[in-house]
Amino acid sequence: MRTDSFSVDNCLKCSLCNTVCPVMGVEPEYPGPKRLGPELERMRVEGVATDTTWVEYCLGCHRCDLACPNQVDVSAMIAAAKATHRKPLQRRLRDWWFARPALLARLAFVAPAVFNLSLSLKPVRVLMERVMGISSRRPFPRYTHGLQPRSAAQAPRGRVAFFPGCYIRANRPDLAAKVVRLLEHCGYAVEIPATTCCGVPSLANGAAAEAAAQARTNLEHLAPLAESGVPILTACSSCGHMLKTGFSGLLEGDLSARANQLASAIWDLGEFLAREAAEGRFAGAALAGKQRVAYHAPCHLKSQGIGQPWVALLRQIHGVTVEPLDAGCCGMSGTYGFKQEKYELSMRIGQSLFERIDEVRAESVASECATCRMQIEHGTGTRTLHPLELLEESIAEESRA
Amino acid sequence: MSVDYDALVVGSGFAGLTAAAALSAAGQRVALVTTGSGSLVFAGACLAMPAGPDPALRCFTEFAAAAGCRYTGSECSEALLPTLLGELQPVGFAPHFLDRFEATDEGLCTVAGIEGLSGFDAEFLAERLNQVAGEQGLRRRHVPRTLRLGRALGVPLTVLAIARCFDADRAFRAELASQLREAAAGSDSLLLPAMLGIESTEHKLDAFERAVGLPVRELVTLPPSVAGLRVERLLKKRLHALGVEFFEGFPVRALRLQQHRCAQVEVAAPARSLKLIASAVLLAVGRRQSELLGLHAPRLDERQRPLDAAGNPFAENVVCAPSPAAAPLHTANLLRVRAGFGAAQSVLAGEVHLAHR
């Protein structure tokens, strides 16, 4: 994606972007990426007012960008339009919070048990739906006391850094512990620097300034590591996408150059471990008892252009069969599916995926994206997990044996 | 990330898809790198009639059939494909769901238009087809009908919107089937703009046809071509099922050579080039070929390897499926299939990557 050049003129109006848009597939009123992106952009750059009613319905999945034969930055244009779009008050107030998951987590850390309990009480959820437009049908993930930064000890193969992202930090710090074990198994010392939200939720909720501020903070913490040649790993596809695109062009000048340099040090965990696997580091991995796992590739993994490394990785584990689902977008898109006005649309988008999961009848579904997992559990009741959990379990079993 | 593949195909148009299918069928471990779609998605993905038995075409039609997208046609007689403007285009092989005129056709065909759908005029088309059929001594007659869909599918109404509703909504399919059944009462067949889903398989279309109660055929429209998209989707799904690994959305930035071999293919993924390693590299990139090779319209040797100005192969393990010279669409498509198949045969002949083993 070239966010530094004026790509509107590249648009051929071929409509390929429209053919892959998950929202357009189920909502005929949605104008689609061709219109909300390059068509309206031509007017926006001239300062002409345009109807932006539908821009907030863009999932930010980037499938339009991938389908475009001519490198038009469709989703970036729509994201820029989101930032200038004026929402109704209720949504502005709600989305202010959705744009700041790190802040929300800090509130939860005060008393996670109380926070979790409140968010699970029906009357509270009904009130939240009425007052804030947060769908009461959508379970909230449970909050913990969070994850502390950690420094790396010495190790034979050197240091790597791990960028947990808000979900792992606030809701699943146990996943961070598993990431550390996996990387230590490969001979690395793992550092977890202090970082903040990657900025995807802010950008998705139209808070571009907040996203830029988060980008600057993360750049400050991560750039020194990248400059010393330390690989920085992510286990969340959306964080990975954001970091790999130099924070999506939010920064300017010098900072932008540093962000692009940082980007070249970012690795998706699966991408990194696939290299380790190619060197035989998971040769003995096995799980007692056969497992059939379905795999769902998150949209923000596809946008990283690295294929689907976890499929081959999981297949390395003796006893595991993997069924790639290849059934489109789950429809959750982070904070999107929590919103009252978008809940039903979100579930309709995910319908083909739910049906495919039912068809395949796997015991569990693996996916790197936390909100994909939430959507799949909500829509099918099937157990979900991050693929790293299976690999970690297999090496834990191997070392116990 | 470096993983070993037997063959890496660049490009997912007719040439690339055929090459990947041929290689995969022969047991090779194949990776396919593509920026998205080839030109087959913009029209009906039809092929001209070959001059005789054609192994490349056979490979392709077998692949398509296994993909759930059967092609119909004959190696010895052309069929006539009606176009949007009522012309009859000669064609060799076409997807089963596209309408064709056979010399033996008789009876009445209802041409069904959709109210509000731009780019398809049922009355004009029916009149034109009657005229053209009369001129060519063909006995099929056409009568127009216009349906009003029972759904608001956006303004302006496009075949894409209809197709995506068709894919997602069982009730819509049932409603449409009964509307068509009613509209075509008394006819022997039905002709529609291509709109019956991007995700439709042969099986699903047969079921729809049974619900309508008479043969239903589609006509290629202006892009977005639902017909082309449907074919591409099925062919790619088949390749997935055969174990071909896809790297989609980003172009190849460079072919890295080491001692006359392509050691790595660099894909321009975000942040860091994806480096793919394969024993053989097959370029099916159409007009991008010159840019990737740094050679303008290179000659190919007998193993389909591009040659530089001095007559030496660009690389020992790189073959090309060259872009056809200007030709009518269906002919160009056939040439692409042949180019892809030929390049795959070169790879399979083993000579290309002999040194590596």
Side-chain angles (χ1 to χ4, degrees):
Chain A
M1 281 197 302
R2 298 198 310 260
T3 50
D4 58 338
S5 65
F6 187 67
S7 67
V8 165
D9 286 342
N10 289 8
C11 177
L12 309 170
K13 304 286 218 99
C14 69
S15 303
L16 276 179
C17 55
N18 283 354
T19 67
V20 298
C21 175
V23 183
M24 263 197 120
V26 299
E27 178 46 75
E29 295 296 312
Y30 182 68
K34 183 176 78 168
R35 174 142 193 86
L36 293 175
E39 278 182 19
L40 290 188
E41 183 70 5
R42 290 189 165 99
M43 291 188 252
R44 289 189 289 255
V45 295
E46 299 294 326
V48 174
T50 58
D51 179 4
T52 52
T53 313
W54 284 99
V55 291
E56 58 174 289
Y57 285 81
C58 168
L59 293 167
C61 68
H62 301 289
R63 283 171 182 255
C64 47
D65 299 334
L66 296 176
C68 178
N70 234 19
Q71 283 87 57
V72 178
D73 296 316
V74 188
S75 65
M77 291 172 194
I78 304 176
K82 272 190 191 180
T84 61
H85 164 65
R86 194 157 174 77
K87 295 181 237 192
L89 181 65
Q90 186 202 53
R91 294 185 198 181
R92 278 209 307 277
L93 294 176
R94 173 197 67 195
D95 293 351
W96 191 93
W97 284 101
F98 274 139
R100 293 160 177 81
L103 178 60
L104 190 66
R106 279 208 295 279
L107 280 186
F109 292 157
V110 170
V114 175
F115 197 81
N116 292 333
L117 181 63
S118 331
L119 287 179
S120 65
L121 295 173
K122 190 130 171 72
V124 174
R125 294 305 302 272
V126 171
L127 194 66
M128 280 170 76
E129 186 171 299
R130 296 246 174 82
V131 172
M132 294 189 77
I134 297 176
S135 173
S136 60
R137 281 174 287 184
R138 187 66 79 175
F140 254 85
R142 302 179 68 72
Y143 284 81
T144 65
H145 282 284
L147 177 71
Q148 296 312 312
R150 110 203 261 278
S151 56
Q154 290 291 34
R157 301 197 56 218
R159 262 191 315 161
V160 297
F162 177 56
F163 181 97
C166 293
Y167 178 76
I168 290 180
R169 187 181 12 253
N171 305 101
R172 295 291 305 276
D174 62 301
L175 286 179
K178 293 183 182 183
V179 170
V180 168
R181 280 202 286 280
L182 276 171
L183 293 165
E184 285 177 347
H185 173 87
C186 299
Y188 294 100
V190 186
E191 175 173 335
I192 303 181
T195 51
T196 184
C197 180
C198 67
V200 169
S202 310
L203 207 53
N205 283 283
E210 175 70 16
Q214 287 158 340
R216 281 191 293 272
T217 306
N218 282 320
L219 187 62
E220 208 180 288
H221 291 297
L222 296 175
L225 287 166
E227 281 152 21
S228 337
V230 177
I232 299 163
L233 276 49
T234 65
C236 165
S237 327
S238 300
C239 298
H241 172 89
M242 190 60 151
L243 294 171
K244 278 189 176 186
T245 55
F247 304 104
S248 215
L250 284 166
L251 302 175
E252 314 223 316
D254 268 355
L255 289 181
S256 166
R258 283 188 92 202
N260 288 330
Q261 239 195 338
L262 170 63
S264 60
I266 306 294
W267 291 78
D268 171 76
L269 182 68
E271 183 188 9
F272 191 84
L273 292 178
R275 236 181 26 166
E276 298 296 312
E279 292 167 27
R281 248 164 272 282
F282 298 106
L287 281 176
K290 296 195 175 305
Q291 277 206 43
R292 263 186 80 242
V293 179
Y295 171 75
H296 168 73
C299 296
H300 287 167
L301 177 71
K302 292 181 189 242
S303 60
Q304 292 183 39
I306 54 175
Q308 300 179 7
W310 275 109
V311 174
L313 258 176
L314 289 179
R315 282 180 174 153
Q316 293 235 338
I317 306 174
H318 300 292
V320 172
T321 48
V322 182
E323 180 81 52
L325 288 163
D326 194 26
C329 175
C330 75
M332 183 65 177
S333 188
T335 58
Y336 190 101
F338 283 95
K339 299 174 182 177
Q340 171 61 13
E341 75 280 6
K342 297 176 170 80
Y343 173 84
E344 225 134 23
L345 179 58
S346 166
M347 293 302 280
R348 268 189 290 142
I349 292 170
Q351 191 54 37
S352 311
L353 175 62
F354 303 155
E355 282 170 12
R356 182 82 192 121
I357 290 171
D358 283 337
E359 249 172 57
V360 159
R361 276 198 288 243
E363 292 138 34
S364 55
V365 180
S367 185
E368 298 97 306
C369 172
T371 56
C372 292
R373 294 197 296 273
M374 282 182 216
Q375 178 81 324
I376 289 169
E377 276 200 29
H378 187 58
T380 66
T382 316
R383 196 188 116 206
T384 63
L385 40 79
H386 192 301
L388 76 88
E389 300 186 68
L390 270 178
L391 190 61
E392 193 273 340
E393 199 186 317
S394 74
I395 58 159
E397 272 194 29
E398 184 195 9
S399 60
R400 277 199 292 272
Chain B
M1 187 174 96
S2 55
V3 186
D4 261 306
Y5 298 97
D6 294 324
L8 193 147
V9 176
V10 186
S12 65
F14 262 117
L17 293 173
T18 305
L23 289 164
S24 190
Q28 300 268 297
R29 184 164 174 210
V30 182
L32 182 67
V33 180
T34 171
T35 51
S37 299
S39 62
L40 76 153
V41 298
F42 291 120
C46 298
L47 304 166
M49 192 181 78
D54 190 325
L57 182 57
R58 190 151 305 163
C59 169
F60 178 82
T61 52
E62 277 169 13
F63 165 48
C69 182
R70 184 174 44 91
Y71 268 62
T72 49
S74 153
E75 281 176 358
C76 40
S77 64
E78 278 182 330
L80 294 170
L81 205 75
T83 72
L84 208 57
L85 293 178
E87 286 178 18
L88 296 179
Q89 271 182 356
V91 75
F93 284 79
H96 64 96
F97 50 78
L98 290 182
D99 183 48
R100 61 185 50 229
F101 257 87
E102 309 282 4
T104 51
D105 268 350
E106 294 191 298
L108 190 63
C109 173
T110 296
V111 177
I114 311 289
E115 194 179 287
L117 180 65
S118 62
F120 189 88
D121 185 334
E123 261 145 37
F124 172 79
L125 185 57
E127 190 182 311
R128 266 295 284 166
L129 286 175
N130 284 336
Q131 184 181 16
V132 166
E135 283 164 9
Q136 302 211 13
L138 298 163
R139 293 200 297 267
R140 201 173 84 180
R141 287 285 163 269
H142 305 82
V143 62
R145 290 277 182 275
T146 302
L147 267 68
R148 174 181 298 172
L149 290 180
R151 295 292 171 90
L153 293 177
V155 173
L157 182 60
T158 62
V159 286
L160 183 62
I162 299 172
R164 299 198 76 183
C165 189
F166 189 92
D167 285 328
D169 195 332
R170 181 169 296 154
F172 176 71
R173 294 197 289 276
E175 280 162 37
L176 183 63
S178 75
Q179 274 184 291
L180 289 171
R181 178 192 279 268
E182 203 184 296
S187 284
D188 303 294
S189 65
L190 196 57
L191 183 56
L192 288 175
M195 62 187 217
L196 300 178
I198 295 177
E199 292 172 17
S200 300
T201 56
E202 197 178 332
H203 177 79
K204 205 164 161 185
L205 292 172
D206 284 346
F208 184 75
E209 212 175 71
R210 281 196 298 276
V212 174
L214 67 168
V216 177
R217 295 288 174 266
E218 292 171 278
L219 210 67
V220 179
T221 62
L222 295 172
S225 169
V226 170
L229 289 165
R230 186 186 302 159
V231 171
E232 191 212 35
R233 184 183 164 273
L234 287 169
L235 297 182
K236 282 185 170 172
K237 246 184 143 55
R238 174 68 183 161
L239 289 177
H240 273 111
L242 289 171
V244 173
E245 225 172 293
F246 278 70
F247 295 91
E248 286 185 281
F250 299 94
V252 169
R253 169 177 285 142
L255 304 173
R256 291 282 171 237
L257 300 184
Q258 246 174 49
Q259 290 171 325
H260 309 295
R261 283 185 60 80
C262 176
Q264 257 180 22
V265 172
E266 277 187 24
V267 180
R272 190 176 49 252
S273 288
L274 180 65
K275 296 179 171 64
L276 298 173
I277 297 177
S279 304
V281 177
L282 193 155
L283 297 181
V285 295
R287 282 167 299 152
R288 265 208 85 208
Q289 191 177 279
S290 304
E291 181 197 323
L292 266 184
L293 294 173
L295 299 169
H296 180 66
R299 284 188 304 117
L300 301 182
D301 69 8
E302 70 285 357
R303 300 184 207 164
Q304 291 200 222
R305 296 180 301 186
L307 302 173
D308 62 21
N312 300 317
F314 168 84
E316 195 206 309
N317 60 342
V318 175
V319 301
C320 283
S323 213
L329 180 61
H330 304 332
T331 306
N333 287 341
L334 178 63
L335 293 173
R336 289 171 178 127
V337 166
R338 283 194 189 138
F341 181 79
Q345 297 315 303
S346 291
V347 170
L348 291 170
E351 297 166 16
V352 177
H353 54 96
L354 195 59
H356 186 68
R357 301 264 153 96

